Each structure stands twice: as C-alpha cells, then as structure tokens.
C-alpha cells in the first residue's frame, strides 16, 4: 500500500525515507536484564498438591493419570532402578551398550 492508501507500491524515495526514520524498539525493556527474576521454591514432595513458597497449589505440571506419585512401593522401586541402572540424558544403545539393562 502506497502513501496515498491505495494498492500502489511505495516509491524508492518513500521507502528510503520510511527506513531512515524507523527506530526499532528493544525486545526487552532497557534495564530489565539487570533485575533479578524471583524463582519460586518448591518446598514439598511432588503430588496432586505441591507447596510453592509456602502456598499449597494444585499441581498441573505432572501427568499423574495413573496415580502413582506418592506411593511408597513405586518410590522404592524407582530408587532401586536408578541405583542399579543409573540415569542419562539419552538412550541410544551406543552410549549405554555396557549396561545390562540395554542388552535385553
């Protein structure tokens, strides 16, 4: 759309003028990087409810559809598995080929 509001394109001079007058706004407000953002502290065990900074909140961050969170038997088995097999950020056999768990 040209300067007159119709469908004609801007002239070269109009485009140059607009570009030279344009000043981009910062993506983050000036001085914002210097401010510390408060990090909420989770003070309880993860479950249906979780205590964050002293306030009990409904936990919508898990997929506890099987209701296993908080069950002592599940926790004990998970701890034993981590102690036996360890944990890692990836699962390709090439990285964990020496683990007995990946050989089955």
């Amino acid at each position: 759309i040209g300067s007159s509001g119709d469908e004609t394109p801007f002239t070269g001079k109009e485009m140059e003028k607009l570009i030279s007058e344009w000043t981009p706004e910062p993506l983050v407000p000036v001085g914002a990087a210097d401010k510390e953002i408060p990090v909420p502290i989770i003070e309880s065990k993860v479950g249906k409810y979780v205590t964050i900074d002293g306030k009990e909140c409904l936990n919508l961050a898990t997929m506890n559809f099987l209701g296993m969170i908080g069950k002592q038997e599940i926790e004990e088995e998970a701890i034993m598995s981590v102690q036996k097999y360890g944990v890692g950020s990836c699962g390709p056999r090439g990285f964990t080929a020496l683990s007995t768990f990946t050989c089955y």
Side-chain angles (χ1 to χ4, degrees):
I1 296 175
S3 58
S4 62
D6 58 12
E7 294 295 323
T8 59
F10 289 111
T11 66
K13 286 185 180 183
E14 288 175 318
M15 190 70 95
E16 298 263 340
K17 183 175 187 263
L18 286 171
I19 291 171
S20 68
E21 292 173 349
W22 181 72
T23 304
E25 294 181 19
L27 296 174
V28 178
V30 176
D34 300 333
K35 295 179 184 175
E36 189 172 315
I37 298 172
V39 177
I41 305 296
I42 298 175
E43 302 166 343
S44 65
K45 205 174 214 182
V46 175
K48 181 176 181 179
Y49 293 95
V50 63
T51 305
I52 301 174
D53 292 332
K55 182 179 177 184
E56 187 176 64
C57 303
L58 178 62
N59 185 1
L60 300 174
T62 66
M63 292 185 53
N64 189 27
F65 53 87
L66 295 177
M68 291 194 226
I69 292 178
K71 295 195 182 235
Q72 190 66 30
E73 180 185 356
I74 300 292
E75 290 180 16
E76 290 170 1
E77 290 293 327
I79 290 168
M80 288 183 351
S81 295
V82 168
Q83 289 171 342
K84 183 174 181 179
Y85 300 112
V87 295
S89 60
C90 57
R93 186 181 175 115
F95 293 124
T96 57
L98 299 177
S99 169
T100 55
F101 182 72
T102 59
C103 294
Y104 296 108

